[in-house]
């Protein structure tokens, strides 16, 4: 299961974050977890765990085509996965947690469940970043991100599609692309 993979990767005595290049089980666990992240709705895999491994471990990562749901909008354009896009996303996550989901102490009503245009844009900004960038966040707590994805207090769509009409049949991951520069073969 996803939780088993996450738990294995974070066992201190195994130290996967530092031994991945010489530990097949660590590499295999990250590879499987990355596939779950790429092929499942956002919020299924811990963003904190997966991003810490993508950015700070000796593990290889092969960037793959992402999950596609015909009911989801196409992701926004994003020029670069850099400090500015990190900052915009961190601010947007804070905005969602403050303005677009119901606080645990509030009562759920039809009015509070309605997705405003502003909240929809915020969700699309966050999901675009999460689908396109492998960066780690510096200034947010991952608990906030995971809570807003677990939360059912909004009818906003919380994910987006990289390609609007992608056909998953016959897809082959191309790990030699520049986007997979940390992959060692």
């Amino acid at each position: 299961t996803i939780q088993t993979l996450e738990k294995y990767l974070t066992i201190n005595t195994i130290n996967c974050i530092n031994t991945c290049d010489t530990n097949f089980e660590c590499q295999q666990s990250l590879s499987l977890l990355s596939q779950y992240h790429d092929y499942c709705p956002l919020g299924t895999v811990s963003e904190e765990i997966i991003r810490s491994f993508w950015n700070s471990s000796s593990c290889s990562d092969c960037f793959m085509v992402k999950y596609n749901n015909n009911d989801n909008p196409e992701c926004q354009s994003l020029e670069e996965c850099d400090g500015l896009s990190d900052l915009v996303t961190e601010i947007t996550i804070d905005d969602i947690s403050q303005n677009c989901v119901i606080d645990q102490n509030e009562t759920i009503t039809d009015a509070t469940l309605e997705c405003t245009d502003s909240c929809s844009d915020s969700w699309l900004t966050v999901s675009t970043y999460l689908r396109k960038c492998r960066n780690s966040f510096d200034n947010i707590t991952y608990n906030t991100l995971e809570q807003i994805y677990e939360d059912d207090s909004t009818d906003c769509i919380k994910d987006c599609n990289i390609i609007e009409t992608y056909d998953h049949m016959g897809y082959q991951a191309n790990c030699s692309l520049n986007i997979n520069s940390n992959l060692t073969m």
Side-chain angles (χ1 to χ4, degrees):
T1 67
I2 292 170
Q3 291 78 20
T4 303
L5 292 169
E6 291 172 343
K7 184 177 179 180
Y8 182 81
L9 285 168
T10 57
I11 295 173
N12 287 335
T13 56
I14 296 174
N15 194 18
C16 282
I17 201 143
N18 293 313
T19 63
C20 202
D21 56 343
T22 59
N23 184 324
F24 176 77
E25 290 84 5
C26 291
Q27 179 63 57
Q28 189 67 22
S29 296
L30 180 64
S31 177
L32 290 170
L33 196 62
S34 293
Q35 290 174 55
Y36 280 120
H37 182 274
D38 291 346
Y39 285 108
C40 295
L42 290 173
T44 305
V45 171
S46 167
E47 292 290 335
E48 180 176 20
I49 293 171
I50 196 77
R51 288 180 186 283
S52 67
F53 273 85
W54 286 338
N55 290 285
S56 302
S57 78
S58 58
C59 294
S60 298
D61 174 35
C62 181
F63 193 81
M64 296 171 271
V65 171
K66 306 293 186 199
Y67 168 77
N68 188 275
N69 178 334
N70 291 333
D71 294 332
N72 290 352
E74 189 171 1
C75 291
Q76 298 170 333
S77 65
L78 182 65
E79 294 301 317
E80 305 223 7
C81 295
D82 58 13
L84 181 59
S85 60
D86 294 354
L87 180 61
V88 168
T89 303
E90 290 168 5
I91 291 168
T92 305
I93 289 169
D94 186 54
D95 175 62
I96 289 172
S97 68
Q98 298 294 317
N99 302 310
C100 300
V101 293
I102 296 170
D103 185 278
Q104 294 175 343
N105 299 322
E106 293 181 78
T107 305
I108 297 175
T109 65
D110 288 340
T112 56
L113 283 173
E114 186 177 325
C115 183
T116 65
D117 288 343
S118 175
C119 288
S120 182
D121 288 345
S122 292
W123 278 109
L124 193 54
T125 297
V126 170
S127 60
T128 297
Y129 180 90
L130 295 176
R131 285 287 177 211
K132 292 185 174 184
C133 300
R134 295 289 213 213
N135 304 12
S136 288
F137 294 111
D138 293 328
N139 300 319
I140 65 157
T141 63
Y142 283 92
N143 287 340
T144 301
L145 185 59
E146 291 186 13
Q147 285 172 351
I148 63 175
Y149 268 95
E150 288 177 9
D151 194 329
D152 285 333
S153 63
T154 180
D155 63 357
C156 288
I157 294 175
K158 298 179 180 182
D159 207 343
C160 65
N161 294 320
I162 297 294
I163 301 167
E164 190 171 72
T165 57
Y166 177 72
D167 177 12
H168 284 274
M169 302 302 290
Y171 170 72
Q172 295 282 327
N174 183 352
C175 295
S176 64
L177 296 174
N178 285 340
I179 198 164
N180 298 310
S181 62
N182 72 329
L183 178 71
T184 53
M185 292 186 178

